[in-house]
Amino acid sequence: VDVVVHGGDVFDRPDVLPSLAYQAYQPLRRVADAGVPVFIVPGNHERSRLPHTHLLTHPRIQVFDAPRTFMMDVRGVRLALSGFPYERRDVRTRFRALLQETGWRDVAADVHVLCVHHCIEGARVGPQDFTFTSARDVIRTADLPPEFCATLSGHIHRHQVLERDLRGGALPHPVVYPGSIERTATAEIGEPKGYLMLQLASGAVRW
């Protein structure tokens, strides 16, 4: 593994005790201690901001605490990770501006990846397969830049990879939801849980 991206909701609430934050951060610090860079997208459960971040300080751990682009060299490939924390104020309208604030267009990279914690059109949840479409907290797939290799997102607990828009047309790149690693509600009882491993090369993604 060259890079770990945590899609957000490290915690289930924003007001956690320092001792709990320390315990939650320890697995991420161990990954970073092993030489693997870790990138974290703060989620809605954290109110878009990780608590007690002084306990997370590490040269290989980066947090999307604002719209940012992080650059790194991975086996000779220039990888750019762009993203922003959970946007609580109408992300559908603000998405393009937030993406521009990351400065991704000013970065010369071989591979661009978008990291968010949001609903994106076409994502499905629940036993009735509820589909996110046009609400203010749903990002339009038409707004996803084709220059990106993939969009990685937390927030949705069901594992799924979106490759088609609501009309059946091909997306400019895959939208990847690893899903949650634990069942957080009875509605998720039949869903597979875990994480997702991606291979990125030459603008293509495999999972």
Side-chain angles (χ1 to χ4, degrees):
V1 174
D2 298 303
V3 181
V4 168
V5 177
H6 192 302
D9 288 349
V10 180
F11 304 95
D12 64 345
R13 60 187 186 279
D15 54 344
V16 298
L17 295 172
S19 58
L20 284 175
Y22 178 82
Q23 293 177 64
Y25 291 148
Q26 278 304 97
L28 299 174
R29 290 178 58 88
R30 286 198 296 271
V31 172
D33 285 340
V36 180
V38 176
F39 298 86
I40 307 172
V41 184
N44 58 304
H45 285 200
E46 294 122 7
R47 299 295 188 269
S48 310
R49 181 180 178 185
L50 293 178
H52 311 296
T53 50
H54 64 285
L55 300 173
L56 191 61
T57 303
H58 194 288
R60 292 193 190 91
I61 296 179
Q62 304 289 347
V63 179
F64 289 99
D65 53 356
R68 300 187 185 282
T69 292
F70 296 105
M71 277 291 301
M72 60 183 304
D73 183 278
V74 180
R75 305 186 190 191
V77 175
R78 294 172 299 171
L79 173 64
L81 296 172
S82 302
F84 49 86
Y86 180 76
E87 173 56 48
R88 300 163 65 187
R89 299 176 300 150
D90 190 8
V91 72
R92 192 172 185 85
T93 300
R94 291 178 46 78
F95 175 73
R96 290 185 179 182
L98 289 166
L99 189 57
Q100 183 175 353
E101 286 179 40
T102 68
W104 73 273
R105 290 189 182 277
D106 301 324
V107 172
D110 300 312
V111 177
H112 287 272
V113 175
L114 179 59
C115 305
V116 295
H117 184 93
H118 277 287
C119 302
I120 297 174
E121 284 178 345
R124 297 174 181 268
V125 295
Q128 304 302 320
D129 274 347
F130 176 83
T131 303
F132 292 95
T133 55
S134 59
R136 295 173 63 184
D137 63 344
V138 179
I139 295 172
R140 296 180 182 89
T141 53
D143 289 341
L144 299 175
E147 294 88 346
F148 282 80
C149 177
T151 292
L152 313 182
S153 186
H155 198 44
I156 301 296
H157 293 193
R158 179 194 292 185
H159 161 62
Q160 55 201 289
V161 178
L162 309 181
E163 299 183 85
R164 298 280 172 180
D165 62 22
L166 293 172
R167 295 189 175 119
L171 293 182
H173 58 253
V175 175
V176 179
Y177 285 101
S180 60
I181 59 172
E182 298 287 352
R183 289 169 178 80
T184 62
T186 54
E188 301 174 24
I189 194 168
E191 296 179 358
K193 296 297 179 182
Y195 55 89
L196 206 57
M197 296 189 69
L198 304 174
Q199 290 181 316
L200 307 174
S202 304
V205 57
R206 291 188 297 165
W207 56 91

